[in-house]
Amino acid sequence: MIDVEQPAAEQCRIRVRPNRSLSTRELTTAFTIIACGCLAIAGTFAWQGLWVPLPFAGAEVLFLGGALAWVARQGRRVETIELSRERIAVRANGAGPARRIDFHPGWMRIELKPGRYRGYPQRLVLGSHGREYEVGAFLNDEERSALFGQLTRSLRAVRQAARGADAP
């Protein structure tokens, strides 16, 4: 999901988040229902004297809980791109340590590169002076292309505003 805030022509903030079909509360509810059903069935078998399915049901519930926790954590990822006349700041939060990288707007380039291997998704890369940063790795190709267009338009507007401010 791409959110754009543009308070002025020379400033822009773009917030990029992965598409989440379920909120954290809905994930928790789905996990609870599935876990209760699985353990109820295994408990019924154990009550009848067939205890073998019980540890497998417990392992299944633990694995499912871990997988859903990982999905919830990945869904909290947010990348914020702030464009201004002085700098372009990219901040990444949510799925690990927070990172921030700054670029100079006059030297920054935006590239939509093909995937590393055939059939892999495109990569949107911001770069300047030998440094590169991939943005929106969790987006699909259509969203990544839309972000590329939005970044290109916003960077052009920021550069034009900077040229207008520098003119006598």
Side-chain angles (χ1 to χ4, degrees), residues 139-159:
L139 298 175
N140 62 35
D141 279 343
E142 292 82 25
E143 291 173 323
R144 205 170 288 118
S145 295
L147 179 60
F148 174 73
Q150 180 63 46
L151 280 170
T152 304
R153 286 189 302 274
S154 298
L155 183 60
R156 188 177 306 125
V158 164
R159 285 177 177 165

Side-chain angles (χ1 to χ4, degrees), residues 3 9 12 25 28 31-32 46 49 59-60 77 79 85 88 90 93-94 99-101 116 130 148 166:
D3 298 323
C12 182
R25 183 176 182 171
T28 304
F31 171 71
T32 303
E60 178 182 354
R77 292 173 60 179
E79 291 179 344
R85 284 189 269 178
I88 296 174
V90 181
N93 298 328
R99 295 184 310 195
R100 179 186 170 126
I101 187 166
R116 292 193 173 134
F148 174 73
D166 292 341

Side-chain angles (χ1 to χ4, degrees), residues 21-23 58 60 64 69 82 87 89 91-92 112 118 158 166:
S21 56
L22 295 175
S23 68
E60 178 182 354
L64 179 64
E82 296 178 356
R87 66 182 166 85
R91 291 181 299 166
L112 194 57
R118 186 174 157 187
V158 164
D166 292 341

Side-chain angles (χ1 to χ4, degrees), residues 71-107:
V71 166
R73 184 172 184 231
Q74 293 298 316
R76 288 192 295 266
R77 292 173 60 179
V78 177
E79 291 179 344
T80 305
I81 306 163
E82 296 178 356
L83 295 97
S84 67
R85 284 189 269 178
E86 297 81 29
R87 66 182 166 85
I88 296 174
V90 181
R91 291 181 299 166
N93 298 328
R99 295 184 310 195
R100 179 186 170 126
I101 187 166
D102 292 335
F103 296 105
H104 187 277
W107 294 99

Side-chain angles (χ1 to χ4, degrees), residues 5-16:
E5 298 173 23
Q6 193 155 5
E10 68 273 354
Q11 292 181 336
C12 182
R13 177 181 292 148
I14 301 171
R15 187 170 289 127
V16 183

